[in-house]
């Protein structure tokens, strides 16, 4: 029961965060009725979400001006984000930041697969090792299983030699 509640809470929090970042683009009525201050705050929030280190996929001020023009230029029959993206494709190059923002909006997975995968892996590990393992080791194995792609990149021989190398012994795996 705790697992189900935690999963639902995690999903709800992630969907709320998604709404905070992309809600103004997803709901065209919000976009049409947003004040300039609200629209600029939303554009800045999106820019921050799409920034990694010093690289950003969009410029908040440019997106702000593009969306102000775009909301007036959109045909009345455009009601959904996919239709906005189709319109942006037709006017190729006119709204580069809006194009990127709508592409990201429409390619983010709606499900929370990582949480589901975590619970699935933990259940498999627990059922196999439940009787003979401490909770700490079980948690460590769950993390290793979930992050298996990262674990595959680890050089275990070097790690073991760094760990035991201080005593002067070498280990060959």
């Amino acid at each position: 029961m705790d697992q189900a509640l935690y999963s639902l809470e995690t999903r709800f929090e992630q969907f709320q965060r998604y709404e905070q970042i992309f809600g103004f683009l997803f709901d065209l009525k919000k976009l049409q009725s947003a004040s300039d201050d609200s629209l600029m705050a939303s554009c800045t929030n999106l820019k921050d979400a799409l920034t990694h280190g010093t690289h950003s996929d969009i410029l908040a001020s440019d997106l702000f001006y593009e969306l102000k023009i775009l909301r007036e230029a959109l045909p009345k029959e455009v009601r959904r984000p996919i239709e906005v993206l189709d319109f942006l494709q037709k006017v190729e190059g006119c709204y580069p930041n809006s194009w990127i923002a709508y592409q990201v909006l429409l390619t983010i997975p709606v499900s929370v697969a990582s949480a589901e995968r975590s619970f699935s892996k933990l259940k498999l590990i627990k059922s196999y090792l439940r009787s003979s393992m401490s909770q700490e080791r079980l948690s460590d194995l769950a993390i290793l299983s979930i992050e298996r792609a990262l674990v595959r990149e680890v050089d275990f021989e070097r790690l073991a030699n760094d760990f035991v190398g201080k005593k002067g012994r070498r280990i060959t795996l």
Side-chain angles (χ1 to χ4, degrees), residues 3 6 26 29 33 36 38 41 68 74 86 94 99 112 118 132 143 145-147 152 154-155 163:
Q3 192 176 34
Y6 178 76
F26 193 78
K29 289 179 184 174
S33 64
D36 285 354
S38 172
K68 281 185 69 165
L74 279 175
D86 287 341
C94 293
W99 171 255
V112 188
S118 298
S132 64
I143 291 170
S145 178
I146 293 164
E147 300 295 338
R152 287 185 183 130
V154 174
D155 182 0
F163 182 74

Side-chain angles (χ1 to χ4, degrees), residues 2 16 19-20 22 27 46 52 61 72 128 131 133 135-136 138 149 172:
D2 288 340
Q16 280 183 320
E19 167 65 24
Q20 290 170 353
F22 294 101
D27 187 350
L46 179 61
H52 181 71
S61 59
E72 301 301 324
Y128 182 71
S131 62
M133 187 133 338
Q135 184 64 38
E136 182 180 350
L138 185 62
T172 304

Side-chain angles (χ1 to χ4, degrees), residues 18-171:
Y18 183 75
E19 167 65 24
Q20 290 170 353
I21 295 170
F22 294 101
F24 75 108
L25 293 174
F26 193 78
D27 187 350
L28 293 180
K29 289 179 184 174
K30 273 187 190 179
L31 181 62
Q32 295 288 349
S33 64
S35 68
D36 285 354
D37 291 337
S38 172
L39 184 59
M40 186 61 187
S42 296
C43 291
T44 303
N45 188 30
L46 179 61
K47 180 203 92 74
D48 292 342
L50 298 179
T51 299
H52 181 71
T54 59
H55 178 72
S56 181
D57 291 326
I58 61 169
L59 298 172
S61 59
D62 289 355
L63 179 63
F64 169 74
Y65 290 116
E66 286 178 19
L67 290 175
K68 281 185 69 165
I69 295 168
L70 180 64
R71 65 184 177 185
E72 301 301 324
L74 279 175
K76 298 290 184 211
E77 62 271 4
V78 172
R79 292 193 171 98
R80 299 179 317 156
I82 189 70
E83 294 168 347
V84 174
L85 191 63
D86 287 341
F87 175 79
L88 291 172
Q89 187 175 16
K90 290 175 187 169
V91 293
E92 184 180 337
C94 293
Y95 305 95
N97 289 283
S98 299
W99 171 255
I100 292 169
Y102 274 97
Q103 277 186 316
V104 172
L105 166 73
L106 293 169
T107 55
I108 289 180
V110 178
S111 72
V112 188
S114 62
E116 292 170 3
R117 188 170 49 249
S118 298
F119 289 120
S120 173
K121 290 292 185 181
L122 186 59
K123 186 177 178 183
L124 286 171
I125 293 169
K126 273 187 173 182
S127 64
Y128 182 71
L129 300 170
R130 181 169 288 158
S131 62
S132 64
M133 187 133 338
S134 70
Q135 184 64 38
E136 182 180 350
R137 184 162 182 218
L138 185 62
S139 296
D140 292 343
L141 285 173
I143 291 170
L144 287 172
S145 178
I146 293 164
E147 300 295 338
R148 67 184 173 276
L150 183 64
V151 173
R152 287 185 183 130
E153 296 175 13
V154 174
D155 182 0
F156 288 103
E157 189 168 331
R158 181 172 163 240
L159 183 66
N161 286 325
D162 287 348
F163 182 74
V164 214
K166 296 172 185 168
K167 297 179 183 177
R169 294 182 282 176
R170 300 301 283 168
I171 296 176

